[in-house]
Amino acid sequence: MRERFWERFDLEELTAEEWEALCDGCGQCCLLKFQDDDSGELAVLGVACELLDIHSCRCSDYPNRQARVPDCARLTPQRVEEFRWLPKSCAYRRIAEGRRLAGWHPLISGDAERVHRKGISVRSFAISQRDVPEEALEDHIIAILPIDG
């Protein structure tokens, strides 16, 4: 990877390896979400996709995730603006908005566990979709986000 690529290149100019390295490993993008068709509001659940390894906050089948979970949000440099629901802490969002990476980000700190120790990741609260019956999902809403059209 190129030295400090996140500061020197636009998202569209990153290699696939650099793009993947931007992921801070928080797992927040893997939390289930419901969008209200009328208001556009997005309900975020404390329930993670069945493929998320909650301890590592990484997908357990990343190469095949789209086939196994068809509504998996595939974040790409071209689509990053569509994902306004990403947390303000998300490296993809930070870079897209012209902000710097947070000091706890693994590319800055050199420590992939720091995101967890800082309480940024879902490790401390998320439960797996496998453990929640579908009819009980609404009981696990942790935030309602207004999403503008």
Side-chain angles (χ1 to χ4, degrees), residues 91-148:
Y92 295 114
R93 181 171 176 178
R94 293 176 74 98
I95 298 300
E97 293 176 351
R99 295 184 291 136
R100 307 185 104 172
L101 291 181
W104 49 261
H105 192 285
L107 289 171
I108 302 293
S109 70
D111 180 2
E113 285 295 307
R114 198 160 178 198
V115 66
H116 308 298
R117 287 195 308 275
K118 290 294 243 176
I120 308 297
S121 80
V122 304
R123 178 190 280 178
S124 65
F125 68 87
I127 57 176
S128 176
Q129 180 179 11
R130 289 180 291 238
D131 299 330
V132 180
E134 190 167 341
E135 61 274 7
L137 286 173
E138 285 188 18
D139 297 337
H140 294 274
I141 294 173
I142 58 172
I144 302 289
L145 306 176
I147 303 293
D148 53 334

Side-chain angles (χ1 to χ4, degrees), residues 28-46:
Q28 291 192 47
C29 58
C30 298
L31 294 177
L32 300 186
K33 296 152 201 72
F34 296 134
Q35 186 156 24
D36 184 290
D37 292 332
D38 297 325
S39 70
E41 290 180 331
L42 197 68
V44 180
L45 285 65

Side-chain angles (χ1 to χ4, degrees), residues 10-79:
D10 290 333
L11 291 175
E12 297 81 13
E13 297 175 293
L14 301 183
T15 66
E17 180 184 21
E18 291 167 343
W19 174 258
E20 295 296 331
L22 268 184
C23 176
D24 54 39
C26 73
Q28 291 192 47
C29 58
C30 298
L31 294 177
L32 300 186
K33 296 152 201 72
F34 296 134
Q35 186 156 24
D36 184 290
D37 292 332
D38 297 325
S39 70
E41 290 180 331
L42 197 68
V44 180
L45 285 65
V47 178
C49 168
E50 64 185 80
L51 295 180
L52 185 70
D53 175 325
I54 293 173
H55 181 74
S56 70
C57 289
R58 297 290 181 173
C59 184
S60 63
D61 193 10
Y62 191 74
N64 301 305
R65 70 193 186 284
Q66 308 268 206
R68 293 187 57 190
V69 180
D71 59 343
C72 175
R74 185 167 182 257
L75 187 60
T76 66
Q78 297 75 25
R79 296 185 64 209

